[in-house]
Amino acid sequence: MPANNSAKNSPLRKNPIRNSLQLAWHFYQQQKHHSSQRVLRWVQGILLVFIVTLSQTSASIQAYLSHNLANLLGADLVLSQPLALSASQHAELAAMSQQIVLSQSLTTTLTHNGQWQRATLKAVADDYPLQGELRTATSQGGQENVSAQGAAVGEIWLDSRLLAALGLRLGEQLSIGGHRLTVSRILLHEPDRLMEGHTVEMRALLHRTDLQQFRATDDIIQHRYLFAANAQQISTILQWQKTHLPAAQVHHKHGAHPLALFWQRTENFIGLASILLFFMAAIAMQQLTRAQLQQQQFFSAVCLSVGASKQTVLHISVLKWLFGLLLLLPQVLAISALCHWLLLQWLQAQAFAQQGAAGSFANLAWQPDIALAVKTIVASASIFLVLNFPLWLALWQCSVRQLIQPQRRSISNAVLFGCATLVLAGVAAHYSDNGLLTAMLLGSMLASIALLLVLSWLTLSLCEKLSQPFSGILPFALYMMKQRLLSKTTQILGIGLAAFLLLFTLMLLKDLGDNMAAHQRTHDGNLLVSQASSAQMADIQLWAAQHAITIRQHKPFMYVQLTHINGGQLADVMQKPSDSLATLSRPVRLHWSEAVPGNNRLVSGQWWHSADTNWQQLSVEQEVMTDLGLQLGDRLGLVIAEHYVEFSIAATHAYQSGAGAITFWLQMPPAALTHIKAPHYSMASLELQPEQFSLLGQLWQQHPSLRMVSLQELTQRFDSSLALVTRLISGFAGLIILLAGVVMVSSVHAVEAKEQKKNSIILSFGLSKRTCLQLNIIEWLVTGAIAATGAIVATWLAGLLIYQSQFSLPYHPDIGWLLGTLAVILSLVTGLGIVLSKNSLAGSVRQLMAE
Amino acid sequence: MPLSAFSTIALTNVSQTFSHHNHQVQLFHQLSLCIEQGHSYAITGPSGSGKSSLLMLMAGLEQPTTGQVAYLQHGRSMPLAQLRQDIGFVFQQFHLLPELTALHNVALPLKLRGEKNAEATAREWLEKVGLGHRLNHKPQQLSGGEQQRVAIARALVFQPKFIFADEPTGNLDSKSAADVAELLFACCQQNGAALVMVTHSPQLAARAQQVFAFNNGNCALLENAPLEVQSAC
């Protein structure tokens, strides 16, 4: 057969791999300066830098945390729980280990000369520290000393911030609950700080004998037992703990850092948010695919006409893409390494700025993980491969016939959509650890996409219909946009999504801060009591009555520790990190109420009746149910005051606004109180006049362990977290802007040839370049207007949904701000669009003749 | 119509050169000619001889290296920007916008000029070129000959005084080429527009009243006996 012979004898057949490589390299070199290839490099580069930096930073933090665990535990094993060990438990544990040292801690409010500051007191005896160094100083910024023991009886050591906050000096006396202690040293570092590592709480160290003077009930003191033990003893103690003290928290040198899950979750959240980046990249790559298609198909048809096989043609195209990716890697790795280093520097700076916030990252080391980088790049390359698949499919379907009978063969939209969906689903599955959050994020994204699609179609169709009877530039521009609905919609989608993301991240953060502060003031008073014992609450009520202070809410609770789900240990049943799980690993509050509280609504199941004899039932908050994958009827094992009680889930509830902010994850029937003996506490909110805040000192003097926080403090804490998040989000927003720019470039590029031709034809009618420019401006204005409107409406909807479901706050966006945003987006899109359309405006009649 | 009523494009001593690999290539030298409204012209010659460049100069879309291009209306000199509004083009590749129907392609220049009855006028023109039954067809649904008819209607719909055609039959079979040529000449004549064509086809060139023939860098003017144009438009 002549055709077969020619194929067999073709040069490509003699050494196919080498020839394909050479040809691919040759064409890569030829095409690398083409704008479509440049844009493709940008898309792939930005995503690679993002993913590699994220994984490297996360790996550095995890490596640091495991190193930190080994060094900052101050013991081989630490067991902590609210209550002290019984004598028999202590004896058993002592027999299993080499030494046990007890440290007690209590969060309290210290007062001095009318100033107060919340702090954690740590009480130790002469056997402390067990391992590591206890470092102190005798003056502010003075020489650091290693102390062999903790504070002596009658002395207290404060950290320098606490000293400054109370306006104290060394040698002065601090009165706690009527008991006076001398401030003798500045506390710089305790070896067992790991557990406090991620809080911003100020600290003080005193002798255990002094703590007993504060009349603090035993159950509000956290008891931490530090063990010296070998590996064998550690595993024995762990086994023992599972059966004897399942509610206790245990950390040991071979275990996971308590912050590890938190950081895993942070990485997952950022990763999940990156779905949006991938979506935009998918749009950009589809636009590029369309732009390259004709040229690549022509090349393939020519190759086929000279006897090359389809496989060879495909090899060349894939290899060409691979060369592009490989040659991008040195730059990607260098930039990612730099970003990784900068991020770690930033985290360290945050640690210093916030004195212990973010997990004391002062010693975070920059250590690139090459194996991880390779893994990440391979995973990302697979994603790009899938996004490029439609182009290769179109090449596979190409034939010589195309040269004889030129035909427009486009890529099936179903294939493009399928590939993008596959990629996005893969990314979502990889990073998702929380069903509700993933659903909300994807849901709002899908809603905004649908909204943008509908809005584009409606606006363009309607405007085109209405302007049909008229002539002029505007009706023509609208008509042309309607004719190019698909490519225009893609363009609008890219820009609109980017704008939506930016608005969503920046505007919601701004509004959230404002709304939270305002709401708290209106509904919850300006002082929140987060934990008061019965005696303390009685005194608060008396104090409030004396000073005509309103108590807005008052709700009782007891502390419980979730240990089992449907008979299985919590740690065994729950593998995926979530907010709920992180909180439930510590004791949580259990409330009781006859009826559904006013600020709750029943989501599913049935609330108990007063006549109900079954007291072992619970109502669980909806988000906790989703996070932990719980269902009605599931059994939860709770340890309450050292007793194990099993409840079944009878109902789920959700927060609703209007009746105060104090709500509980777990609630039970009041009938259960007759069966459970445990200390009762209260949460309450009060409304104080500004001048009444000075009266708080009196209350704290009386009850140092009373947990109260003022609105001012709350908002300060909130603001500092918000500032941290805003900075992170701003970095992310920078990436979004960059990708939005790339999407615009690629969308302009995809229709550049068509646009150039259109402009040339307009010039051939004797019209000027000014007309072309006017048309271009109108097109970008319409594109920008639809995209911005879509983005704003989507942000508004997402705001409504998220505020309502997450914070139960009404969402009132600032209209002036929205209109301003609309104007900014419109001018930016139009300006950038015109700059990018420079090439398509450079058409001429000469070009039409040359074709 | 008195002579002063006609519009004329006058090229006086124009030369066109361009640089290629540091070599100066001269397309034509000291060329003087006049294009008068209502007449037909053909530009012939081998590829690369400068036919299209001459067309661009005549249309005022390019500047000559030396010499002058003037646009005269009623004997008065007008700015070249005015000339650009009075010309229409017909291309070898038709260059219809693929997204638009035949009707919308023809209505396009009128719509852009803000004319109210754009579509009605376009419909009339399509009927004139024999495509009254193909109004709502898109270019890919039309044959080459039909596409060129649409292009002719589009070029003439806004009543230009000059039509410049670059190889208008170059992409058509002989039957379609003859039909399109017939139509082009008839429409221009009926509309009182000058027709300037670049062509390789001796048959088509023979239909023009004057032929500018390029040969070895020289441009010679040949007068043709006027042919009778059938009233196809």
Side-chain angles (χ1 to χ4, degrees), chain A residues 73-111:
Chain A
L73 215 50
D76 296 313
L77 181 140
V78 177
L79 184 146
S80 62
Q81 60 172 19
L83 294 174
L85 292 175
S86 67
S88 63
Q89 286 168 340
H90 196 281
E92 278 186 64
L93 284 167
M96 288 179 224
S97 61
Q98 290 149 20
Q99 194 186 344
I100 306 179
V101 169
L102 168 66
S103 87
Q104 293 165 298
S105 62
L106 167 69
T107 302
T108 179
T109 303
L110 300 177
T111 53

Side-chain angles (χ1 to χ4, degrees), chain B residues 170-199:
Chain B
N171 241 1
L172 305 174
D173 60 70
S174 54
K175 170 76 175 70
S176 300
D179 291 347
V180 163
E182 192 64 45
L183 185 74
L184 191 59
F185 276 91
C187 287
C188 285
Q189 195 181 53
Q190 202 179 31
N191 237 33
L195 175 64
V196 185
M197 301 176 298
V198 166
T199 182

Side-chain angles (χ1 to χ4, degrees), chain A residues 468 471-472 476 479-480 483-484 754 757-758 761-762 764-767 775 845-846 848-849 851, chain B residues 52-53 55-56 62 84-85 89 91 93 95 99-100 104 108 111-115 154 158 166:
Chain A
Q468 244 177 19
S471 287
F476 174 69
Y479 181 78
M480 282 308 286
Q483 296 306 313
R484 294 174 179 175
K754 269 186 177 180
K757 187 168 171 180
K758 184 189 85 186
I761 291 171
I762 290 171
S764 82
F765 301 152
L767 294 163
L775 275 172
V845 180
R846 175 69 125 174
L848 293 179
M849 285 191 184
E851 274 184 30
Chain B
S52 296
S53 293
L55 195 80
M56 297 300 285
E62 277 181 11
R84 278 178 214 138
Q85 291 177 18
F89 281 90
F91 303 97
Q93 300 287 355
H95 291 314
E99 302 92 341
L100 307 188
H104 284 122
L108 182 59
K111 284 201 165 198
L112 283 171
R113 283 176 162 82
E115 288 198 19
R154 186 182 66 178
F158 58 98
D166 183 37

